[in-house]
Amino acid sequence: MRLLLTIIATCSLVFSQAQSDRPHAPLLADGYIGFGNASGFNTDLSLADWRAALPNTELLQHDIPLSNDVDHAYKDGFRDGDGPNGRYIGPASGALYLGVGLDPGRNAPEPSKFEKRLRIGLMYTKYEGVSDAWGTSETARYDTLISQATGAQFYRDTTYSEGYKLNASWSRIGLDVSYTVRRVSASRWAWYVGAGAQVGATLNNEVRVSHWISRSDLGSEEQEATYRQEEEEENHRLRSNAWGSGFALAGLDFQLSRKSSFLSSLHLFYEIRPTLQFSALVGVPTRVQGAGSSVFGMRFDLR
């Protein structure tokens, strides 16, 4: 019995020593640098919301009937929906992504068909914004002219318009964490999928407010048309506010070379990210809105 215990103890010591001598793969596996764009589908903001975000504004206190039937041609972004009440999504904005990939399954006893990565990075979006406008317009006849030569009557109409134009813009920075699964393949091409989340703060929050009044006289055969417009403008800076998002992702990875020791560690990647974003202007309740982004860049194999 004593001999058996001695043999078991010796084997256990040898096995544990072999395990400690086995080289472990490093946790840090990849580095990432990418550039992309982002766009948000901004939810409706009412005049009350804008007034809550801008408590010190004077221009928004003008009490005018707002019907949203003004010309929206000056609004930034792209129309989401038809008709005078169509919303505008924020214009695409440049984004910078820097990150590293950690390999949680680096010491698995058996090779896997999939590489798993926990990516931790930083995402900076240079510009995002939302535009809005309200106004009212009324046309009425205000004068009748009679030709002294022929006695013919000429009618003169005038159009009175009044409204608001608002434009909010900001930058965005946040911690970006995602978990990806990449298909291991003999090909230089590979696909991957995953999910992640972001949390951060907005920077350089600015809002421009314009209140405008225009009067146009359509004229007649004997007199030229006239047009007059008055416009007042305010600029406001808002404090930074927190935001968060959750996203899914799908991407393609391309290895630059199989033969060169240097190029084989370099990969091009492209991924798309449908997103649910939680954010709002300061003073306005947090809202959930759909958004999207894409990232193109280079992945560095650090092992």
Side-chain angles (χ1 to χ4, degrees), residues 9-285:
T10 303
C11 291
S12 299
L13 180 63
V14 171
F15 180 76
S16 62
Q17 183 65 35
Q19 287 289 96
S20 62
D21 294 340
R22 180 184 298 171
H24 289 268
L27 178 62
L28 183 61
D30 308 300
Y32 298 83
I33 179 170
F35 303 91
N37 62 72
S39 60
F41 295 84
N42 298 293
T43 55
D44 289 342
L45 292 174
S46 66
L47 181 56
D49 290 331
W50 285 106
R51 284 173 171 166
L54 304 170
N56 298 322
T57 181
E58 295 182 1
L59 295 184
L60 287 183
Q61 303 310 317
H62 291 277
D63 189 14
I64 62 174
L66 302 177
S67 59
N68 268 97
D69 60 357
V70 296
D71 180 9
H72 293 273
Y74 50 76
K75 295 181 69 175
D76 296 331
F78 306 93
R79 184 183 294 275
D80 175 26
D82 298 323
N85 295 313
R87 295 297 302 162
Y88 282 73
I89 67 174
S93 52
L96 171 66
Y97 172 74
L98 298 173
V100 295
L102 308 180
D103 183 4
R106 63 194 183 281
N107 294 315
E110 298 294 334
S112 173
K113 295 182 179 180
F114 297 94
E115 288 182 346
K116 303 174 181 64
R117 293 289 186 268
L118 175 62
R119 303 192 312 189
I120 302 174
L122 188 70
M123 179 74 81
Y124 172 74
T125 303
K126 182 178 180 181
Y127 174 89
E128 289 184 348
V130 58
S131 298
D132 221 332
W134 296 271
T136 185
S137 180
E138 183 178 357
T139 300
R141 182 173 301 167
Y142 82 99
D143 198 4
T144 301
L145 303 178
I146 300 176
S147 173
Q148 295 181 352
T150 63
Q153 293 184 342
F154 301 94
Y155 302 107
R156 300 190 63 183
D157 295 334
T158 185
T159 299
Y160 174 87
S161 301
E162 184 177 8
Y164 293 125
K165 295 183 291 186
L166 300 101
N167 180 271
S169 63
W170 57 86
S171 301
R172 190 188 298 271
I173 190 169
L175 177 67
D176 184 295
V177 179
S178 61
Y179 187 81
T180 65
V181 177
R182 181 185 299 110
R183 181 73 165 87
V184 177
S185 172
S187 170
R188 291 161 64 184
W189 290 94
W191 56 264
Y192 62 95
V193 295
Q198 294 178 328
V199 62
T202 59
L203 308 171
N204 305 317
N205 294 19
E206 296 182 346
V207 181
R208 185 174 68 251
V209 183
S210 295
H211 171 242
W212 54 269
I213 298 174
S214 68
R215 298 177 179 86
S216 60
D217 177 359
L218 301 184
S220 66
E221 294 183 1
E222 297 180 354
Q223 294 186 345
E224 295 182 356
T226 59
Y227 178 79
R228 300 181 302 278
Q229 178 164 316
E230 304 170 9
E231 187 167 355
E232 302 173 277
E233 187 173 288
E234 290 178 345
N235 291 285
H236 300 266
R237 290 189 65 89
L238 304 181
R239 69 179 187 273
S240 298
N241 62 309
W243 62 273
S245 69
F247 59 88
L249 65 87
L252 287 174
D253 182 283
F254 176 72
Q255 186 178 25
L256 294 185
S257 175
R258 287 286 193 180
K259 299 179 180 179
S260 170
S261 58
F262 173 71
L263 293 180
S264 62
S265 64
L266 303 181
H267 301 247
L268 298 177
F269 73 92
Y270 175 78
E271 64 186 54
I272 56 174
R273 298 178 167 193
T275 303
L276 278 180
Q277 191 164 281
F278 306 84
S279 63
L281 294 176
V282 174
V284 179

